[in-house]
Amino acid sequence: MAKDGNTGAAPFLPDRLTLPELRRAAAHCEGCDLHRNAGQTVFGEGPAEARFLIVGEQPGDQEDRKGAPFVGPAGRILDRGLEEAGISREEVYLTNAVKHFSFTLKGKRRIHQKPTAAEIEACGPWLTAELAVVKPRMIVVLGATAARALLGPSFKVTQRRGEVLELGEALAVATIHPSAVLRAPDRDEAYKGFLSDLILARRSCSS
């Protein structure tokens, strides 16, 4: 059970673990309180046989409205990085550690709020199931929330990026979330480092 008293996602998982079945089941998840205010569950997208599985933090405002991951400004940075790194979107499964948008209201605007440790834990069974189905060769971990979900609370992206890690039977590379590129004082420099990490993931996956 999640530490905040919520049930967590496990009771909502389907008996048959396929991406279509998981997506249908996740649409009805009430494993934590985020489902109460978010517009919808934003589940992962991509082929079941993807070589790369890319994990971000959570849906943003546009993702929540459209029901798809990485369709906002950060998604455009990611798309550019994947293209320049030589990673085809046909090889990529995109998802987030948390499947509902966490936000606070400021007037009529919905302002992104970082998921809590309990919310990350509650949503963990969905990510575990996605990994079990896709069985990627390379996992690209975007930012601190995804790193906490997959690599533990003590893992520091800023200290460990640029390393190729073993994560179960897959390899993993941790890097900054593309939204951090948008917030960086020097976007060009931040993007250069982000791209370098994606290139490392592609080369390691190919070796």
Side-chain angles (χ1 to χ4, degrees), residues 91-167:
E91 300 181 286
V92 172
Y93 184 86
L94 286 176
T95 193
N96 284 297
V98 173
K99 312 301 189 196
H100 283 111
F101 181 31
S102 177
F103 64 91
T104 57
L105 283 173
K106 188 175 182 180
K108 294 183 177 181
R109 293 180 61 207
R110 302 192 301 175
I111 307 300
H112 165 277
Q113 182 169 284
K114 185 175 181 179
T116 66
E119 289 161 353
I120 296 168
E121 179 184 346
C123 212
W126 294 119
L127 182 56
T128 299
E130 288 173 299
L131 288 166
V133 172
V134 177
K135 296 182 175 63
R137 169 66 176 156
M138 171 61 69
I139 302 168
V140 180
V141 182
L142 302 178
T145 294
R148 182 184 183 98
L150 287 171
L151 302 168
S154 64
F155 186 90
K156 303 297 182 186
V157 174
T158 53
Q159 296 174 6
R160 303 288 302 277
R161 64 183 299 188
E163 295 182 32
V164 179
L165 309 165
E166 291 186 2
L167 190 56

Side-chain angles (χ1 to χ4, degrees), residues 30 36 123 152 182:
E30 298 180 359
R36 299 181 188 279
C123 212
L182 296 171

Side-chain angles (χ1 to χ4, degrees), residues 169-203:
E169 296 184 2
L171 300 175
V173 169
T175 187
I176 59 173
H177 195 281
S179 62
V181 175
L182 296 171
R183 297 191 303 267
D186 188 337
R187 288 189 183 184
D188 289 341
E189 188 64 24
Y191 177 77
K192 182 179 177 182
F194 175 66
L195 177 59
S196 177
D197 292 335
L198 292 180
I199 291 172
L200 172 65
R202 191 258 300 162
R203 289 177 175 168

